[in-house]
Every structure is written in structure tokens, then in C-alpha cells.
Amino acid sequence: MIHRHPGADLEKTTLLGAVLAGVTLLRPLFAFKENRVALGEPVMLPEAGGAWVTGAVAGLVLAAALLSFAPQVNRVRWAKISIGMLLFVTLVITLGRSGSQTVAGMEFARITPSTGFWVGVLASFVLVQGSLHSAPVSNLVRSVVGLAPFLVVLILLAGGMLDSLAPVQEYYTREARFVSELGAHLWLSGAAVLAASVTGVPLGILAYRRRMAERPVFAVVNGIQTIPSLALFGLMIAPLAYLSREFPVLRSLGIRGIGNAPALIALTLYALLPVVRNAYTSLAVIRGSVIEAGKGVGMSRAQMLRFVEVPIAVPIILSGVRVSTVQAIGNTAVAALIGAGGLGTFVFQGLGQGAPDLVVMGVIPIVLLSVFVDRSLAVVIRALTPRGLKGAPS
Amino acid sequence: MIEFRNVVKRYRGQMAVDGISFSIAEAEVCVLIGPSGCGKTTTLKLINRMLEPSSGEVLLDGHPVASFEPEELRRGIGYVIQSVGLFPHMSVAENVGIVPRLMKWERSRREKRTDELLELIGLDPAQYRRKYPSELSGGEAQRVGVARALAADPPVLLMDEPFGAVDPLNREILQLEFAALQRKLRKTVVFVTHDLDEAIRLGDHVVIMREGRILQHDQPAEVLASPANEFVRQFVGVDRALKRLACFEVGDYMKRAETITREESFGRRNEPNGDGGEHPILWVTNRDQALVGMLEPELNPGSRLVYRPYVALHPDEVGVRPAASLREALSRILGQGLRAAPVISDEGRVLGEVRLSDIEELNQTGIAR
């Protein structure tokens, strides 16, 4: 691969994108349901979008397939990115428009996106990111391109153009509940990460500074991580219920076997590992020679902290917090099982009621939240990382 | 300038420095040398209080170092370590300017000083100021380390195997640069190394240590000429006579050379007054007095002096500069199979010659003592 001309090569990623995009033509775009529990009737793209849209999508598929044989130069990259974007926008708008027409006049009717749609979205992702990741562009452009699809969906949602979608319908019937569960979700994961940071950073530092502490600290923290989250939540119930029964003070503080208290404890324990590990690493990467040099030029303990340790360590510690946060947002969904609330509530309700759309309605905000928090923290960390420690810009 | 008085340093029951006393004069380079674990680095670190003695005291300019605040003391003493220890998150300018920053100099003064130092160590400020340590070569990083140590113009410089991590070729360049820098700055330098050649090249005095004790403290030539004991004798090696020659400069042993022009050399085969005795090589020069070749004398069977045919020479292959060591001169002499090597200027002009006989004599007198 390396010694051949890049143009002579088949771009496998693009070809994959093209093949995936082709699936949208062969599989149903969405399913029409008369009511929430009705079985869906599949609707194919030609039926939903008409000849023009079908032709356009077919054209995009063909173009992507052809471009996968073109040399990977900038113009080709941007052509592929545009194809991916166009595919996404076409599919979403078609879904919204056709959905509205299909359900018009029927009170409980709704549509659910099907294989064709989801695979199309995946195809779009592959085409865009596959070209973007090797493109010589700034981080800003990267972020803008990455955020564009979300923006499109948000605008369409705000304009009511996606109202016929089942998850959106599920949302409308639970708007108030959604807001409060979102709040609970944020509070739970936020508090857990905060608690894990407050305890984990000192633990990591302790593990680094005291050889005696290193093994036990990591044994415990790693051990926790190996317990499946469901089991850990379950494990919390018995002891907390017991404590709550024996000590009325605790009960009056709201500590019970189920609810927030066990969830928060379990989430905090889970969030510990990345924080502890990175706090440890952040000190371990500061080479002894650098500390010796700092001492040698006459830095006091406080100056060493300010000029050397904090600038080098903080970005690494924050990276741990970032991993922890993303993890906690996901784990919090499971916490709904022991009555802690959060967006997981909808997921488990949906599972219980056999309503996949409700599940989707709970899952999508969790995913978006994770991505958003992850990206934001990445930006903050990048800003805090001293230039000399950043890798060469890719 | 620096004085050790009965200094002992024990580490976890182990004797690192075992009651040493010696002093280092102002503006001299004192090299501490010995096998690993001999206590040389410990000795160095006792000066800027990176380590505290178990007993005894270290004086700086007549004051016990223990009477200064450690941080204040260290800001006034330049410190260069083997692994350089540049702050990876700071630019070259920030690294060099750290001591002035700790001493709360104004920004403009700091920047001026930084540029000055970068120029001093031969790195173009405009090009290097904003670079980061990860973008520097080993030699460049080491130079920046030296510049950082010099930032606040400290009278004392401590260097702990500063060139140890650099490849041999660059190490020699750094050593020569450092020697030139020291001639200009005249700092009191304490230099730790385990490389004897480096010690000989750079040291005004050499302190040979073993197991926390000083075995010999003398000028390099003296140490090589008369090792204090069997250990030092072995440490300096069987080739100490040769090494010792590195302590002497060609310029100090240069003799007048006979030169003739190329035209004069034509047909010069027989010397009219050829009657034995010392007959110098005739160095042949061009119109610019640059060395181009030679005529080597030879006594023919009839004890008559004749010159062998003209031999063209390349100045850089046979000539030595006045600042070179006699060791280098000897290697040229032996390499060419001659009795002398021409001393040439940077432009290739013949300044004089160094004779094998003089080197032999110097060797005899030194080693015999």
C-alpha cells in the first residue's frame, strides 16, 4: 500500500460507504404504525420520496462508488463529504415529509425509522468521517462538519417537521417528565463525577507518592471496574437498606436501599478508575529530571506546583475526568433500574411496555449528551494543554 | 570560592561522601571524576543543597551554604544535569528565562537576557525562542540547558555529566564550545564526569574520587604524570602518557619553521653545507604563504644531506592549529611518519612547527617525576 501511488488504490472506506448507502434503496425507510403498539407497515424509499428523491439517492450511491476509485486528494475528499452530507439531509427530510403526509389526519398514527434509514445514516457517517479524518483541515472545520448533522436535525425538530416520528410523539406525551428526568440524569452523573474527582485525584496522587498505597489503591479501583454495573447497583441495595433501617438519621437524609443514594455511590465508584489512573499517570509522566531541574533552578514547593506540576498534570487529570464523565452518563441510564430516575427510566419503561420508540426516545438524548460532554471537555483540555506537550497537529 | 570542610554524607547507612576537604578557586574548572558510586555527584549536589551533608560544611565565598535559603542559593548557582531536564511544556525562551522569572525580573529585561544567552550558546534567537524541547536535537537541548543555568549570570556553575547523553561527535563539539565559553565567562565551574578525556580537556584541576574519598586533587597533567596510587594509575590507564599530551597546547611548544616558496624548492636537492646535525623539514608555501608541500631532509650514505623529492601536502591533514593539543600534534606526526608537524593558521599559513623530539622530552620529564 505504501509504496504504490495512492491513486492506484481502491479507497475501501468510501466503497463501504457506497455499499451501505445502497442499502437505503433496498430496505424500508420507515414503518408506518396506526398506533403505538400496532405492527408497522414497511415503506420503501421510492414510495416515500418519489422518483426524484430515489433518483437522487441512487445518484449519490453511484457517485460514492465511483469516487472510491479516485485518488484521495482534497477535491475528492470534499466531494465525498458533500455526498455524505447530502445523503443525510435527503434521508431526514424525506423521512419527515413523507411521515407527515402518511400520518395526516390520524390521531395516534406515527412512523418509525427502519433499516433503510439507519443504514443510510451510517453510510453518511462513513463517507463524511472517512474523508474528513485524513483531510488537512483545522479543528474548527472538523467540529463544524461534525456538528452539522445534529444542527440539521435540531432545526427540523424545532420546525415540527419530524413530529410524525414515533420517538418524537413519545416525547410530546411526556414532555414534563422528560425535562425532570434529564435533570436527574445530569445531576446524578455530575455529582458522581464530582465525588469521584474529589476522592480520586488525591487517591491517584497518594498511589504515586507512596509505593505502599499503589497496589491496594489500584487493586480496589480496578476491581470495582470489573463488577458489571447491574450487579454493583444490586449490591448497594442490601447494605444501604440495612443502614437505613438501623439508623433513622440516615433514613431522614433520604438514604435507602433504592433510589439516589445507592445509585450515586455505585456511579461514583465506577467513575473512580479513570480519575485515579490519570491522576497517577499525570505525575508519573513528569520525569525525575524535570523535577530535579525545577529544584535546581531554585523553585520552592509552591513554585514547582505552579510552574511545573500543575501545567503538565492538569490536562492529563482532566482527560481522566472526561472519560469518567462519558462513562457515568452511560452508567446513569442503568441506575434507573434501582429507582434513581434519569433518562434510563424511559429506556426501561419502553422495554417493559414493548415500545421500542420509547427506548429510542430515551437512548438518543443519552448518546447526544455523551457526545456533547465529551467534545466540550476535549476542547477545554486542548485549551489547557501547554503547546510543548501537544502532539504535532495531524 | 568553594570549600569543603570534612564533609560526610551518609545515605541509608551507606557512606556516599566520606569526610572530604578541598577547595575550588574562583574562575577555575574543577572536574570531579571517578567510577560510578564514587560520590562525585553527591559532592556536587552538596554545593547547591540539593543534598545536605551528614556532617561537615560547605562554604561558598566564605559563607556556609547552610546559611542561605536553599531556593535563594540555587537561583544564584547555575545547575546543568545530564538528562538536561528542560521543562517540556515551556518554550526554549521560557526555559532559559525561568530563573529570572523566579527572581521577578521585568519581562523586557528577561526577554533581552534570553536572546543574549541564546546567541551566546550559538542558537539563533529568532529561530529557537519559540521552539519546544521536543523539537530540539540532543545537542541543542544540552546547549539550552547551559543557557538556562547561565541566565541570572551566577558566579558558580555546577555541571553533572552535562554531555554524557550526547553522541561522541557532538560531545566533542559541546566540550570545545564550553571551553570557549568558559574562557569568555570565567565562571567557577564544578564539573562531574566519568570520561577521563573530558576531564583532561576541560579541567583546570581534577579531583579523582573513589568510595567517597578523594584520591588525588591536582592539575590534569600532574595526575597523569604521577598518579597518587595504584587505583589512580589504573584509572588513568596505561596510555596516560598519551592522554597527558592532551593537557598541553601546541602553541606553547611551537618552534620556528623553515619555509621556502615553491619556486625556491625547484632543484633543491643538495644542501651545500650539508654536514649532519639537526636538519629541519622545509615547508613549501605558495605566494599566500599557505602550506602546499614539503621537502624532507635525509642523510645519504656519504653522510651528505640531500632532500627527497617534493611531496604535496594537504594543510588540514598534516597541520595542527596553535590551540590544538600535543596529543593531536603527535597523532599527525605519527600519521605522516615525519619528525615534526607544521603549525598552521586558520588560513593555512605556516606559523611554526612542533617537533617529535620536543614531545618526547616533555614526556620524559613529566613521567619521570
Side-chain angles (χ1 to χ4, degrees):
Chain A
M1 276 254 289
I2 288 161
H3 48 263
R4 282 204 315 202
H5 187 271
D9 258 311
L10 168 67
E11 240 284 303
K12 297 191 185 86
T13 318
T14 313
L15 190 63
L16 173 69
V19 170
L20 290 173
V23 173
T24 52
L25 294 165
L26 309 172
R27 301 292 307 160
L29 185 68
F30 62 83
F32 166 76
K33 292 176 178 179
E34 265 175 67
N35 57 53
R36 189 166 177 234
V37 290
L39 273 176
E41 294 165 28
V43 177
M44 304 283 285
L45 183 67
E47 201 182 330
W52 282 109
V53 171
T54 313
V57 171
L60 291 175
V61 172
L62 196 65
L66 289 176
L67 283 182
S68 62
F69 294 95
Q72 183 76 307
V73 295
N74 259 338
R75 257 192 316 184
V76 172
R77 281 200 191 99
W78 283 109
K80 291 178 196 166
I81 291 170
S82 310
I83 291 173
M85 293 284 203
L86 271 173
L87 179 68
F88 181 77
V89 173
T90 311
L91 288 178
V92 176
I93 291 181
T94 309
L95 188 74
R97 234 185 38 181
S98 167
S100 308
Q101 287 163 4
T102 318
V103 303
M106 289 184 262
E107 198 185 342
F108 298 110
R110 57 197 68 202
I111 62 157
T112 269
S114 304
T115 341
F117 176 78
W118 293 124
V119 177
V121 170
L122 181 63
S124 151
F125 177 82
V126 168
L127 287 171
V128 172
Q129 293 300 331
S131 306
L132 195 62
H133 105 111
S134 63
V137 294
S138 70
N139 283 323
L140 184 71
V141 174
R142 231 173 266 274
S143 314
V144 168
V145 174
L147 283 175
F150 295 102
L151 223 65
V152 170
V153 172
L154 272 180
I155 291 169
L156 292 176
L157 271 175
M161 296 180 68
L162 298 178
D163 284 356
S164 60
L165 266 70
V168 181
Q169 299 244 321
E170 298 282 2
Y171 168 76
Y172 278 134
T173 55
R174 297 175 172 74
E175 218 172 337
R177 181 78 194 280
F178 179 85
V179 173
S180 75
E181 296 298 0
L182 178 65
H185 201 106
L186 287 175
W187 184 86
L188 266 178
S189 29
V193 171
L194 189 70
S197 306
V198 169
T199 50
V201 173
L203 264 181
I205 294 173
L206 178 80
Y208 181 76
R209 295 234 192 273
R210 300 264 175 278
R211 293 212 72 86
M212 295 263 292
E214 184 181 335
R215 278 174 163 277
V217 165
F218 278 102
V220 170
V221 176
N222 280 321
I224 293 169
Q225 208 70 197
T226 61
I227 307 173
S229 55
L230 207 54
L232 189 62
F233 284 119
L235 278 176
M236 288 292 133
I237 296 176
L240 283 178
Y242 171 78
L243 287 175
S244 160
R245 211 166 45 238
E246 297 297 310
F247 302 97
V249 194
L250 293 177
R251 190 161 54 235
S252 67
L253 286 171
I255 292 177
R256 292 175 300 141
I258 58 168
N260 274 339
L264 198 54
I265 294 173
L267 288 173
T268 305
L269 289 177
Y270 268 120
L272 270 178
L273 177 64
V275 176
V276 174
R277 195 182 44 207
N278 278 44
Y280 177 91
T281 312
S282 76
L283 295 179
V285 297
I286 304 178
R287 293 168 52 196
S289 59
V290 171
I291 296 291
E292 197 195 340
K295 225 175 132 188
V297 297
M299 286 185 187
S300 63
R301 195 70 200 85
Q303 285 167 332
M304 185 82 86
L305 210 61
R306 178 177 149 212
F307 289 118
V308 179
E309 287 168 328
V310 166
I312 298 180
V314 163
I316 301 175
I317 293 177
L318 280 184
S319 301
V321 173
R322 173 182 163 199
V323 174
S324 247
T325 310
V326 172
Q327 231 177 53
I329 290 173
N331 280 336
T332 303
V334 184
L337 272 185
I338 53 166
L343 293 166
T345 314
F346 302 120
V347 176
F348 293 113
Q349 259 180 24
L351 288 173
Q353 298 168 4
D357 300 318
L358 186 54
V359 176
V360 171
M361 180 252 189
V363 166
I364 286 179
I366 295 174
V367 172
L368 291 185
L369 201 59
S370 300
V371 173
F372 175 73
V373 169
D374 184 56
R375 295 316 308 157
S376 321
L377 283 176
V379 170
V380 172
I381 290 165
R382 202 159 169 84
L384 283 175
T385 307
R387 249 191 57 205
L389 297 180
K390 284 175 192 165
S394 54
Chain B
M1 189 71 185
I2 300 170
E3 191 183 347
F4 280 74
R5 283 189 190 159
N6 291 316
V7 176
V8 174
K9 174 67 184 176
R10 267 181 299 260
Y11 276 126
R12 300 182 194 104
Q14 272 217 313
M15 196 62 96
V17 168
D18 192 1
I20 57 170
S21 300
F22 74 107
S23 54
I24 299 163
E26 192 168 340
E28 81 163 8
V29 178
C30 177
V31 180
L32 308 180
I33 189 170
S36 35
C38 70
K40 53 191 194 290
T41 294
T42 305
T43 304
L44 182 89
K45 287 181 172 179
L46 289 166
I47 299 172
N48 66 350
R49 294 186 70 187
M50 295 295 277
L51 295 172
E52 302 290 350
S54 308
S55 72
E57 63 177 357
V58 181
L59 301 161
L60 180 67
D61 236 355
H63 307 286
V65 291
S67 67
F68 301 98
E69 280 296 312
E71 286 83 28
E72 290 293 322
L73 178 77
R74 289 177 200 143
R75 283 171 208 166
I77 297 178
Y79 187 42
V80 186
I81 54 180
Q82 174 177 3
S83 36
V84 193
L86 291 184
F87 303 118
H89 58 299
M90 294 185 188
S91 66
V92 165
E94 286 172 315
N95 264 289
V96 174
I98 187 71
V99 178
R101 190 165 164 195
L102 295 175
M103 293 169 91
K104 305 205 163 48
W105 288 17
E106 271 175 42
R107 174 182 280 269
S108 58
R109 184 176 167 210
R110 228 160 60 202
E111 282 169 359
K112 199 168 144 257
R113 178 67 179 152
T114 306
D115 284 0
E116 219 172 86
L117 283 163
L118 287 178
E119 249 158 49
L120 186 71
I121 55 163
L123 299 178
D124 175 21
Q127 195 191 337
Y128 281 89
R129 236 181 335 231
R130 286 174 208 290
K131 284 203 178 192
Y132 282 86
S134 56
E135 300 164 320
L136 301 177
S137 73
E140 287 168 345
Q142 200 49 261
R143 287 184 184 91
V144 174
V146 173
R148 178 173 67 183
L150 291 170
D153 202 16
V156 177
L157 206 54
L158 307 181
M159 307 181 86
D160 189 358
E161 303 206 24
F163 311 135
V166 186
D167 62 277
L169 195 68
N170 273 303
R171 188 183 313 157
E172 195 173 325
I173 295 171
L174 285 169
Q175 286 166 354
L176 293 174
E177 281 180 7
F178 170 74
L181 202 63
Q182 169 63 6
R183 274 196 290 278
K184 219 184 305 179
L185 300 177
R186 300 188 51 77
K187 302 283 179 195
T188 305
V189 181
V190 187
F191 193 110
V192 165
T193 184
H194 60 253
D195 176 350
L196 189 65
D197 292 320
E198 187 169 73
I200 294 164
R201 180 172 283 154
L202 299 178
D204 295 316
H205 279 95
V206 176
V207 173
I208 298 184
M209 295 185 69
R210 184 198 187 190
E211 289 169 0
R213 293 209 180 87
I214 294 177
L215 300 183
Q216 192 166 6
H217 177 194
D218 218 329
Q219 292 175 359
E222 286 305 304
V223 172
L224 291 166
S226 31
N229 60 28
E230 193 48 37
F231 176 80
V232 179
R233 187 185 301 276
Q234 281 186 11
F235 185 76
V236 298
V238 286
D239 58 342
R240 64 195 168 94
L242 187 59
K243 279 178 180 149
R244 182 167 168 270
L245 291 178
C247 304
F248 305 102
E249 263 188 31
V250 163
D252 298 336
Y253 293 86
M254 188 169 75
K255 293 277 165 63
R256 209 179 72 82
E258 294 289 335
T259 61
I260 56 172
T261 63
R262 185 75 182 98
E263 287 74 24
E264 289 173 309
S265 74
F266 291 135
R268 184 108 172 231
R269 294 279 292 159
N270 301 301
E271 204 57 19
N273 53 352
D275 53 353
E278 274 288 313
H279 296 287
I281 297 172
L282 296 180
W283 303 108
V284 180
T285 59
N286 64 14
R287 243 168 270 123
D288 300 325
Q289 291 189 297
L291 181 70
V292 291
M294 65 165 181
L295 293 179
E296 199 184 358
E298 183 185 42
L299 290 176
N300 73 2
S303 275
R304 237 162 52 89
L305 181 68
V306 297
Y307 282 98
R308 291 184 185 166
Y310 171 77
V311 179
L313 296 173
H314 193 280
D316 283 336
E317 276 168 21
V318 290
V320 287
R321 304 291 148 93
S325 71
L326 285 187
R327 184 177 178 169
E328 200 179 323
L330 180 64
S331 105
R332 298 294 158 93
I333 290 171
L334 297 177
Q336 297 293 323
L338 301 174
R339 288 180 295 155
V343 181
I344 56 169
S345 69
D346 288 343
E347 299 82 36
R349 283 199 298 118
V350 177
L351 303 172
E353 65 180 29
V354 204
R355 294 181 190 151
L356 183 58
S357 54
D358 288 343
I359 295 177
E360 279 166 349
E361 190 188 347
L362 176 72
N363 196 28
Q364 297 288 315
T365 54
I367 299 295
R369 248 184 302 160

